[in-house]
Amino acid sequence: MPFAALPDPNMYYERAGAGEPLLFISGTGGDLRVKPNVFDGGLGQAFDLLAFDQRGLGQTDKPDVAYSMAQYADDAAALMDHVGWDSALVVGVSFGGMVAQELVLRHPQKVRRLVLACTSPGGAGGASFPFHEIDHLKGEARARHLMAFSDTRRDEAWAKANPELYEQLVQMSATDPFAGEPGRERGAWRQLEARSHHDTWERLPQIAVPTLIAAGRYDGVALPETQLNLAMQIPGSTLRFFKGGHLFMIQDRTAVPAMIAFLKV
């Protein structure tokens, strides 16, 4: 698979499919080596799909310097230039939705239509869960702490009523097959550090492309009220809630088809 030798950083990406160009920007800790990924779902079958490991993650460079949200957006724009795309449809999920906001604000000509999934504007509009504050939690401890935030239905009572499923979900979330790689922990922290400063709130009214805000009704990471704030702040945007938590795109089978329908208009 290809690397884009950008000025900063050297970026790993994958591209597959046919149709309109679609840039997919992944969430916190995104690594294309982890399967299944976006290429295994409906987006990969409906578009000419481009996805990448963001700086500090996966097989992309992990410089040990402070990162900014503007840099993440500029990285995405530079990758589009690298593959010869003047513009594209854009889907940003969670942290990737924060990057997508910066992308459309800093490079508005590059975005045709925009999907912001389970994300937040920061600032007065509300921030997503402060992952940087629990970076000391690792493995199972982190997975257990986040369970009820990922899906607010999975509270303590639910865990007691569904012990086998609870433990299965904990193990799935706690496992990192690439733990211990050089720079992995450092790059992940640099992403969380940049994320903690995300704030597009005052600039959101500048967004002038059709925008879908997609969210899970039971998301404790990107709260439902924050999605309402996004919808009110982005002119002409559409807000849709789906049955699920932060992983509603997997939990609700209607979610990805709804995104595809919006993007194909």
Side-chain angles (χ1 to χ4, degrees):
M1 293 296 178
F3 286 84
L6 306 179
D8 174 30
N10 188 43
M11 183 180 296
Y12 176 80
Y13 69 95
E14 295 182 15
R15 182 179 176 184
E20 285 195 77
L22 171 64
L23 176 69
F24 180 85
I25 309 178
S26 62
T28 301
D31 186 329
L32 284 170
R33 293 173 296 181
V34 177
K35 307 294 183 181
N37 62 32
V38 65
F39 289 97
D40 301 305
L43 294 176
Q45 299 169 8
F47 301 99
D48 178 0
L49 178 63
L50 175 65
F52 61 104
D53 291 341
Q54 300 190 71
R55 65 171 56 224
L57 304 176
Q59 298 178 77
T60 289
D61 285 351
K62 304 169 181 64
D64 190 17
V65 296
Y67 305 161
S68 71
M69 298 305 294
Q71 281 180 309
Y72 280 106
D74 291 349
D75 289 347
L79 179 61
M80 291 175 66
D81 290 339
H82 176 81
V83 300
W85 287 0
D86 293 327
S87 65
L89 307 168
V90 175
V91 173
V93 176
S94 193
F95 174 82
M98 302 176 197
V99 176
Q101 292 167 52
E102 285 287 355
L103 175 63
V104 72
L105 289 166
R106 292 175 63 81
H107 307 275
Q109 75 284 357
K110 289 189 172 293
V111 181
R112 301 179 188 175
R113 297 179 75 86
L114 177 64
V115 175
L116 300 176
C118 53
T119 192
S120 70
S128 291
F129 183 88
F131 286 111
H132 60 286
E133 295 181 1
I134 63 162
D135 192 57
H136 61 287
L137 295 177
K138 308 295 181 183
E140 288 190 16
R142 182 182 179 88
R144 294 183 194 282
H145 181 81
L146 289 174
M147 185 68 68
F149 291 100
S150 177
D151 189 319
T152 57
R153 295 170 296 181
R154 294 174 181 164
D155 56 12
E156 185 176 352
W158 177 89
K160 290 180 179 179
N162 301 273
E164 292 185 6
L165 179 56
Y166 172 74
E167 288 300 328
Q168 181 183 3
L169 292 171
V170 166
Q171 294 306 315
M172 288 173 60
S173 301
T175 302
D176 180 0
F178 306 104
E181 282 188 343
R184 185 170 180 82
E185 185 171 350
R186 177 187 65 205
W189 167 249
R190 291 297 189 186
Q191 184 190 39
L192 295 183
E193 187 178 44
R195 181 183 180 277
S196 71
H197 299 295
H198 169 66
D199 183 357
T200 57
W201 177 249
E202 297 294 339
R203 293 174 287 150
L204 290 178
Q206 300 172 26
I207 296 177
V209 300
T211 302
L212 171 65
I213 298 159
R217 292 189 179 279
Y218 309 104
D219 192 344
V221 175
L223 299 175
E225 53 264 38
T226 302
Q227 313 310 304
L228 292 170
N229 290 340
L230 273 171
M232 289 188 293
Q233 193 77 336
I234 299 176
S237 60
T238 300
L239 173 61
R240 285 199 59 178
F241 283 103
F242 295 91
K243 188 175 181 180
H246 200 59
L247 300 179
F248 74 89
M249 291 174 64
I250 297 172
Q251 294 172 298
D252 189 334
R253 294 183 179 181
T254 70
V256 172
M259 292 180 183
I260 293 172
F262 172 82
L263 292 167
K264 282 184 171 290
V265 170

